[in-house]
Amino acid sequence: MAAARPRPNALVWLLLSALVIVLDQWSKAWVLSSLPEFQPVPVIDGFWNWYRTYNTGAAFSFLSDAGGWQKYFFTVLAVGISGLMAWWLHGTARGNWRSALPFALVIGGAIGNVIDRQVHGHVVDFIQWYVGDHYWPSFNIADAAIVVGAVGIAVFGLFEGKPKKKADNTTP
């Protein structure tokens, strides 16, 4: 017998996914219209630059030199993972924010980067953090949402554990 789905479910959290997509695409439109390519624009000296660059791969430019097929691979992967997480949202209680929030962030970030891949052929990155001569790879709002969501899934999943049974105070 299948377990009953909670009502109301957490699909309303897809509004957060939509917000992430809108903020991500808005920020990338600003970057493409306002920032020079491959030239740092200091925001906080010694720590943070705006730096317009492009990534044809995935995290840390993984497979960026793969010849083009990676665009379709990462698109299918992102859509598949987003679909799976939307299905999980469907089976999650609306008030269970510890599950719903991270899923929604990952979905929004993944779809934000899929839009870039389909429209531009690459992902637009523009946030560059550094200390001295040590630079973190450039990233964008979608990437940040994916990372925060993935960390949330791991942390909340680790500490959630199994639900405790209610104490039964009745005697046999």
Side-chain angles (χ1 to χ4, degrees), residues 24-172:
D24 178 63
Q25 292 301 303
W26 171 81
S27 66
K28 291 171 180 173
W30 170 76
V31 165
L32 291 171
S33 68
S34 302
L35 292 179
E37 288 184 324
F38 313 115
Q39 295 179 23
V41 176
V43 177
I44 299 174
D45 282 330
F47 176 68
W48 178 4
N49 291 329
W50 295 132
Y51 186 78
R52 178 175 157 190
T53 189
Y54 312 104
N55 185 355
T56 56
F60 307 107
S61 296
F62 176 65
L63 293 178
S64 62
D65 296 328
W69 63 266
Q70 72 275 24
K71 169 184 165 182
Y72 305 103
F73 173 74
F74 291 128
T75 296
V76 169
L77 185 64
V79 169
I81 289 170
S82 296
L84 179 62
M85 290 191 174
W87 177 254
W88 289 343
L89 278 175
H90 182 261
T92 300
R94 184 173 294 171
N96 183 355
W97 66 270
R98 288 185 178 126
S99 293
L101 174 67
F103 292 161
L105 289 173
V106 171
I107 292 168
I111 299 303
N113 282 340
V114 162
I115 292 169
D116 274 20
R117 284 191 177 91
Q118 295 306 306
V119 171
H120 306 295
H122 53 258
V123 174
V124 176
D125 290 329
F126 61 93
I127 301 168
Q128 181 184 63
W129 288 344
Y130 66 99
V131 175
D133 292 332
H134 304 285
Y135 287 80
W136 186 259
S138 295
F139 62 99
N140 58 49
I141 290 173
D143 296 336
I146 292 168
V147 169
V148 170
V151 168
I153 290 168
V155 168
F156 293 137
L158 180 66
F159 293 115
E160 187 82 13
K162 293 180 181 177
K164 294 180 182 177
K165 291 183 180 178
K166 249 186 188 177
D168 187 5
N169 293 332
T170 61
T171 57

